[in-house]
Amino acid sequence: MSDVHVLGVAGSLRLGSLNRALLRAAMKLSPSGMTLETFDLADVPLYNGDVEAAGDPPGVAAFKDAIRAANAVLFVTPEYNHGVPGVMKNAVDWASRPARDAALNAKPVGIIGASPGATGTARGQSQLRQAFEFTNSFCMPQPEVLVFRAHEKFDANGELADAKTAEFLGKYLEALRVWTLRFK
């Protein structure tokens, strides 16, 4: 099969976030043979074992179902204080439960991110890679998309305006498509 269904998740709840804009750009640049849909984490509450014991809240159940229905997941993460933001880590924590039947188990994943800083989201992406070792997810090692000085690469409407970034993002998405096919 050459069709790959990817679920895209932005690790920021802010509607005008650079990472939501990067995810929208990825949707537009998806290569032939790939569909990319998004999931909004706004309805995924903070992880709580007591809540989990009573049954997954609707937002969590929908998130896990969306992961299971996808061939791969693209995590689009900001970087806060040299690390992965709580919203993104919380989503990974929910998707890693229950341990023996986790939605992320054996799932191909990719990570990209955008930041106004000079190093893009390198530290946040590194922390996510560590988490994906534990979740037994197959994280694509290369290439990396670390959009630095991102506020200069998107226009006032949140559209990706930098041609080199768009070209590289397109190459990344093709690599993610090929990576995912290795596990289908």
Side-chain angles (χ1 to χ4, degrees), residues 41 85 87 99 175:
L41 295 174
V87 169

Side-chain angles (χ1 to χ4, degrees), residues 18-149:
L18 293 167
N19 285 277
R20 283 180 179 252
L22 184 60
L23 181 54
R24 286 191 306 275
M27 291 178 70
K28 292 177 182 175
L29 294 168
S30 293
S32 177
M34 174 190 277
T35 58
L36 178 59
E37 71 169 299
T38 64
F39 187 91
D40 191 330
L41 295 174
D43 292 328
V44 176
L46 290 174
Y47 176 77
N48 179 325
D50 294 336
V51 171
E52 180 189 22
D56 286 344
V60 171
F63 181 50
K64 289 180 180 181
D65 288 345
I67 291 171
R68 285 188 175 101
N71 300 119
V73 183
L74 176 62
F75 290 88
V76 186
T77 187
E79 181 175 295
Y80 298 164
N81 301 315
H82 290 191
V84 64
V87 169
M88 183 62 77
K89 180 62 168 69
N90 182 64
V92 171
D93 290 345
W94 273 112
S96 72
R97 307 284 307 155
R100 292 193 175 125
D101 189 34
L104 283 174
N105 184 47
K107 185 68 66 172
V109 298
I111 309 169
I112 62 176
S115 170
T119 59
T121 58
R123 293 176 189 105
Q125 288 192 33
S126 178
Q127 288 177 355
L128 272 182
R129 287 181 193 285
Q130 290 175 336
F132 292 139
E133 289 176 17
F134 184 80
T135 64
N136 193 38
S137 305
F138 305 126
C139 189
M140 187 171 76
Q142 292 290 328
E144 293 179 307
V145 173
L146 307 161
V147 181
F148 66 97
R149 295 172 52 161

Side-chain angles (χ1 to χ4, degrees), residues 14-29 114 150-162 169:
R14 194 171 62 83
L15 293 177
S17 86
L18 293 167
N19 285 277
R20 283 180 179 252
L22 184 60
L23 181 54
R24 286 191 306 275
M27 291 178 70
K28 292 177 182 175
L29 294 168
H151 60 289
E152 297 174 359
K153 297 182 176 154
F154 291 87
D155 66 20
N157 296 319
E159 298 293 321
L160 184 57
D162 184 75
L169 180 57

